[in-house]
Amino acid sequence: MEAQTTVPSVPDAHPVQFHGSASQYFGIWIVNILLSIVTLGIYSAWAKVRRQRYFYGNTSVMGHAFEYHADPIAILKGRLIVVAALIAYYAAQLLFPLGSLVLLLLFVPLYPVVFMLSWRFNARVTSWRNVHFFFDYKPKRDYLTAFGVLVLLQVAAAMTAYLLIPLAAQRKWKLVLKRLSYGRQRFHEAIPAGPIFRGYFLSLLVGLPAWIALVGGFVLLAWMDATSEVPDDETAVEGISAIATPVMMGLVFAVAIISVMLAYAIYTARLRNTVFNNSEIEDVGHATSRLRPVKLWWIMVTNTIAVLCSLGLATPWAAVRMWRYQVETLAFTPAGDLDAVVDRETAAGTAVGAEWTDFEGIDLGF
Amino acid sequence: MASEAQSGPTGNQADNQTGGQFAGHVDGTWHPPGSARAHRARFARTPDGRLALTDLDADAPIEIEDGISISDRIAGAPRRVTFADRSVFVTRDDDALEALFGEKLRSSFFSRIARLERPSTRLFIFGGIMILAIVAAIRFGLPAAARAAAALTPVGINEQIGNGTLASLDRLMLDESTLDAARCKVFSDKLTRMAASIGLERNVKLACRKGTRVGANAFALPGGRIVVTDELITTAGNDNDVVAVLAHELAHAWNRHAEQKLWRAIGVGVALTVLFGDAGTLVEEMASAGTLILETSYTREHEREADLEAIDLLRSIGTDPGHLVTALEKLHKSCGDACAESGWLSSHPGGNERRAYLCAAIGSSEVADTICSQND
């Protein structure tokens, strides 16, 4: 009897593509800034929408692009609320310095709310193939969990010398993905903590020496600045000045910052890869992420140098370059009938309801 | 944000079978409401001017309703036409779509913006000019705006800020003065007399404190409150030297330097968020580092201004301005560990530089003649 060799079929992984170019975005970026200045910041809401639509719209999977549907007015309202809150806080700080500490404490229980509402907003205004994402946040049901993960766990992490950061990150992504869905299709996740911890410790290994050097350097600079006024202690100052010339200090700082960037890249890449590679959308498919830490770090470093040397003009080029790499290291493997996917709200029939009006557009970059 | 285009008349599908001549068309994808199902479709205007949508795969017409909204044009991103039943037609061909709807769509605000955003050398030059303009605005406009804001802030608010600051300083860094109350009053009176020469006698008040953690120090808070520490009085030794320091601080108060500093900080914070908030944290951080460097140069300007104005303030009460230089020397010499970063000297221009411009500005006076001719 002939043994039948079955060749395992390679699933169809469709790479995510980005069609945009730096020159296209340059124009959008310049006009955004110019009009934002001229309108004293009011246009910034429209600028944000145009920027997002550019990046989302030029990103496509299997021939279909993403879309960003946020209403600029909603974003403007959100921004005005944030500005008002900031002004209130600064005014309180100036007029009642110790009372303002109380205000700061108020922000702590508010943070989980802002975080969850922000995810809800961003999910709702993002769509692919005409189906919107959905984030299921019900305050009564979810607030305590969110508070525990986003506040208590972070505090615990800080108190254990930041060793629990990977755990906090894992729980945060679990918190989010449990509530996220693409249309009616829910996300499922099985994110392990192990790889995140390993990535974190590797990044500490790389970054900690550099971080200590950076902090030590700042302290040294401050001490030198203080003692330079005193001519009495000249011998000590002379000794230090011989070693720590401005050029040398500059070099040390540059090397330290570049090393810290590498540490950041290692952790970020590991975290993103772990999250994407261990989650899926029910009956729709799953994504694979192949972000390489060194390549990510290289892009970060060269972007920074380019932006610095060009007095900021290279910012759009850097933004496009980073987005392209982040996006093109993703691939999507369909697993189901995409045609059957429908929006979560079609059942309701009507478009957005009144519940969306609160804190719409407050996007703190989560 | 969607702009309202003219509502197309409902295509009477029965009349527009495929195969007819269309006046203009654009190809794309059609999705039923809230569904990911995708149909290749053609959106066209029939010879009699009606809009019609055809499913290219099924080769059959798609019924569309009145009430069309079209998303704004943005380079490279697909254009979305949303029908009244919430089905959408998506296409990447902006020009063909705009041709279909005529001049009204092409001349809409964001279509114009999109044309402005097209890459060109003119745009690049624009960008360069913009950077220069921003730098100029921050370098010159910001301080000017801060000055105006400081001048316009009601005195009551400034006083409230000053009192609040002093309260926290008392809690954190200062203690009750161990000096004789009469001694403090002597200085307070001299300060009031100097303030009277510029009309500020009602606003300026002296506070004597023990500067445990700040050492020999003196500073002007918003609202006209001036604080001086016992340590500075002891170190200076000579009463006139203390008065010289108070004159310098009075000049700060007169120019509302502390208030300006606050407003600059607020202005920078807001400006950075507005301008660079969307450009990413890196750019924002670079910009704030740049403004930090600028801020130290503003501080040095303020200090120089205060030094020079103190000369006239001292002369107004008959005190020799040369005491400014002697005070400087004494504080410089005795500055040890207690001086560190928060000492009176650390945020000021370098000792020799100060002495030089002070001596030059004073010209000739009994004290100045002696001290300025000394070579350190």
Side-chain angles (χ1 to χ4, degrees):
Chain A
M1 198 157 63
E2 292 268 328
Q4 291 237 327
T5 46
T6 40
V7 179
S9 57
V10 178
D12 261 323
H14 298 259
V16 181
Q17 293 176 319
F18 182 72
H19 312 282
S21 72
S23 53
Q24 272 178 334
Y25 183 53
F26 186 78
I28 298 173
W29 180 78
I30 291 254
V31 173
N32 276 354
I33 293 186
L34 276 171
L35 285 179
S36 293
I37 297 176
V38 165
T39 58
L40 298 177
I42 305 283
Y43 186 78
S44 69
W46 279 262
K48 161 140 189 204
V49 169
R50 283 187 84 69
R51 179 194 192 277
Q52 296 294 83
R53 283 193 60 216
Y54 172 76
F55 281 102
Y56 280 38
N58 279 287
T59 306
S60 65
V61 185
M62 301 187 333
H64 296 271
F66 287 86
E67 284 202 71
Y68 186 73
H69 302 264
D71 177 12
I73 304 278
I75 298 209
L76 185 63
K77 277 196 224 161
R79 290 193 165 188
L80 290 174
I81 292 177
V82 172
V83 168
L86 276 175
I87 291 178
Y89 174 67
Y90 281 123
Q93 202 177 38
L94 286 177
L95 298 172
F96 315 105
L98 297 164
S100 70
L101 282 174
V102 175
L103 266 184
L104 206 58
L105 287 174
L106 256 177
F107 182 65
V108 173
L110 268 181
Y111 173 71
V113 177
V114 174
F115 179 91
M116 300 297 262
L117 287 178
S118 191
W119 265 97
R120 187 166 79 175
F121 177 76
N122 286 321
R124 179 175 68 85
V125 299
T126 307
S127 75
W128 181 71
R129 264 179 86 142
N130 193 41
V131 170
H132 293 243
F133 288 83
F134 181 78
F135 187 74
D136 183 18
Y137 170 61
K138 288 197 173 58
K140 275 208 187 85
R141 182 193 65 192
D142 298 326
Y143 178 75
L144 282 176
T145 322
F147 185 81
V149 170
L150 296 169
V151 177
L152 294 178
L153 201 49
Q154 286 285 345
V155 171
M159 295 204 298
T160 55
Y162 293 100
L163 289 174
L164 286 181
I165 290 281
L167 182 69
Q170 183 217 27
R171 291 279 183 246
K172 183 178 81 172
W173 279 104
K174 279 183 180 293
L175 179 79
V176 165
L177 289 176
K178 236 208 260 260
R179 290 164 179 76
L180 197 60
S181 54
Y182 171 63
R184 297 232 189 109
Q185 310 304 121
R186 300 194 53 176
F187 273 72
H188 293 299
E189 55 76 28
I191 302 174
I196 307 177
F197 268 102
R198 284 195 289 277
Y200 182 66
F201 287 130
L202 181 61
S203 96
L204 276 184
L205 214 66
V206 169
L208 210 54
W211 182 247
I212 293 174
L214 251 181
V215 172
F218 271 118
V219 170
L220 188 63
L221 257 187
W223 181 80
M224 279 184 62
D225 186 48
T227 53
S228 63
E229 292 279 359
V230 183
D232 296 352
D233 213 3
E234 255 170 55
T235 42
V237 175
E238 247 180 58
I240 304 281
S241 320
I243 314 171
T245 60
V247 173
M248 247 223 52
M249 291 298 285
L251 267 175
V252 170
F253 274 124
V255 169
I257 289 177
I258 289 178
S259 311
V260 170
M261 278 186 180
L262 180 57
Y264 174 80
I266 291 174
Y267 178 65
T268 310
R270 180 64 63 94
L271 181 61
R272 196 191 91 158
N273 288 347
T274 310
V275 169
F276 272 102
N277 292 336
N278 289 285
S279 51
E280 61 161 17
I281 310 176
E282 190 175 332
D283 287 336
V284 172
H286 67 92
T288 27
S289 168
R290 267 191 177 57
L291 208 53
R292 299 251 172 271
V294 178
K295 179 101 191 260
L296 178 66
W297 166 75
W298 180 247
I299 294 179
M300 280 170 71
V301 171
T302 43
N303 275 358
T304 310
I305 295 175
V307 170
L308 277 169
C309 292
S310 65
L311 294 179
L313 276 178
T315 305
W317 171 83
V320 164
R321 195 162 166 246
M322 179 58 93
W323 178 274
R324 169 175 280 122
Y325 181 62
Q326 299 253 8
V327 145
E328 288 182 348
T329 45
L330 285 173
F332 176 70
T333 308
D337 186 11
L338 282 170
D339 279 351
V341 180
V342 288
D343 251 345
R344 174 103 175 208
E345 278 153 3
T346 341
T350 51
V352 289
E355 61 162 334
W356 298 122
T357 54
D358 299 326
F359 289 103
E360 268 192 42
I362 293 193
D363 175 17
L364 299 178
F366 298 119
Chain B
M1 180 163 146
S3 58
E4 275 302 320
Q6 67 236 72
S7 296
T10 38
N12 185 339
Q13 301 308 318
D15 292 352
N16 296 319
Q17 296 299 320
T18 52
Q21 283 297 334
F22 292 136
H25 69 263
V26 57
D27 288 346
T29 311
W30 180 78
H31 300 283
S35 162
R37 177 165 289 136
H39 303 252
R40 279 176 50 232
R42 173 167 296 177
F43 198 25
R45 212 174 263 291
T46 59
D48 51 347
R50 278 181 290 203
L51 285 169
L53 195 60
T54 315
D55 186 332
L56 290 172
D57 295 320
D59 207 20
I62 303 171
E63 195 163 316
I64 51 175
E65 291 176 26
D66 259 336
I68 293 178
S69 67
I70 304 179
S71 64
D72 296 316
R73 183 171 185 149
I74 184 119
R79 207 77 175 269
R80 188 176 72 248
V81 180
T82 310
F83 301 102
D85 63 352
R86 286 178 63 233
S87 65
V88 304
F89 173 77
V90 178
T91 179
R92 282 189 185 275
D93 196 342
D94 280 309
D95 291 324
L97 187 72
E98 292 192 346
L100 214 54
F101 286 93
E103 201 46 42
K104 189 160 179 210
L105 184 61
R106 224 197 316 269
S107 61
S108 73
F109 179 70
F110 281 105
S111 285
R112 289 219 206 107
I113 295 284
R115 274 196 292 280
L116 191 65
E117 289 166 349
R118 266 196 220 124
S120 63
T121 21
R122 175 189 62 183
L123 201 61
F124 193 78
I125 297 172
F126 238 28
I129 296 176
M130 181 192 77
I131 301 274
L132 289 172
I134 291 178
V135 170
I138 292 179
R139 179 66 186 88
F140 303 110
L142 184 67
R147 266 197 300 275
L152 289 172
T153 320
V155 176
I157 304 257
N158 282 330
E159 280 179 2
Q160 185 50 333
I161 296 174
N163 292 338
T165 313
L166 186 57
S168 9
L169 284 173
D170 279 337
R171 217 167 287 237
L172 299 169
M173 288 197 274
L174 301 172
D175 290 319
E176 242 185 77
S177 174
T178 52
L179 229 53
D180 191 21
R183 193 136 154 71
C184 189
K185 184 143 192 334
V186 166
F187 292 124
S188 180
D189 286 342
K190 290 244 166 97
L191 181 65
T192 310
R193 279 174 55 210
M194 281 193 289
S197 74
I198 46 174
L200 282 182
E201 63 272 21
R202 269 196 344 252
N203 306 74
V204 173
K205 288 185 269 289
L206 184 68
C208 296
R209 293 285 188 276
K210 184 154 153 43
T212 352
R213 283 192 210 92
V214 297
N217 213 332
F219 36 85
L221 297 172
R225 172 83 67 164
I226 294 177
V227 180
V228 66
T229 62
D230 300 344
E231 286 83 340
L232 188 135
I233 295 174
T234 322
T235 310
N238 185 322
D239 275 11
N240 283 327
D241 288 346
V242 178
V243 175
V245 171
L246 291 182
H248 173 102
E249 296 306 326
L250 176 61
H252 279 317
W254 185 21
N255 288 298
R256 298 199 176 188
H257 284 160
E259 292 88 331
Q260 281 182 34
K261 212 170 166 128
L262 274 175
W263 277 110
R264 275 204 303 270
I266 293 173
V268 162
V270 171
L272 285 183
T273 316
V274 164
L275 293 183
F276 299 114
D278 289 328
T281 34
L282 179 65
V283 178
E284 206 176 341
E285 261 159 50
M286 276 171 43
S288 64
T291 47
L292 246 159
I293 295 173
L294 266 181
E295 184 62 30
T296 53
S297 79
Y298 295 142
T299 309
R300 287 170 115 77
E301 271 173 47
H302 283 338
E303 293 305 327
R304 197 192 159 100
E305 218 182 308
D307 273 341
L308 297 174
E309 283 180 11
I311 297 174
D312 293 322
L313 288 169
L314 284 170
R315 287 211 169 108
S316 77
I317 56 165
T319 304
D320 194 318
H323 284 290
L324 273 165
V325 187
T326 52
L328 189 69
E329 300 281 295
K330 283 185 193 161
L331 288 163
H332 208 80
K333 276 213 176 70
S334 71
C335 222
D337 285 340
C339 215
E341 300 130 43
S342 47
W344 197 68
L345 292 174
S346 65
S347 57
H348 292 57
N352 288 333
E353 187 194 334
R354 265 179 111 184
R355 181 197 153 95
Y357 66 66
L358 274 172
C359 284
I362 295 171
S364 178
S365 83
E366 201 182 311
V367 176
D369 287 343
T370 328
I371 190 87
C372 287
S373 56
Q374 277 175 11
N375 282 324
D376 202 339

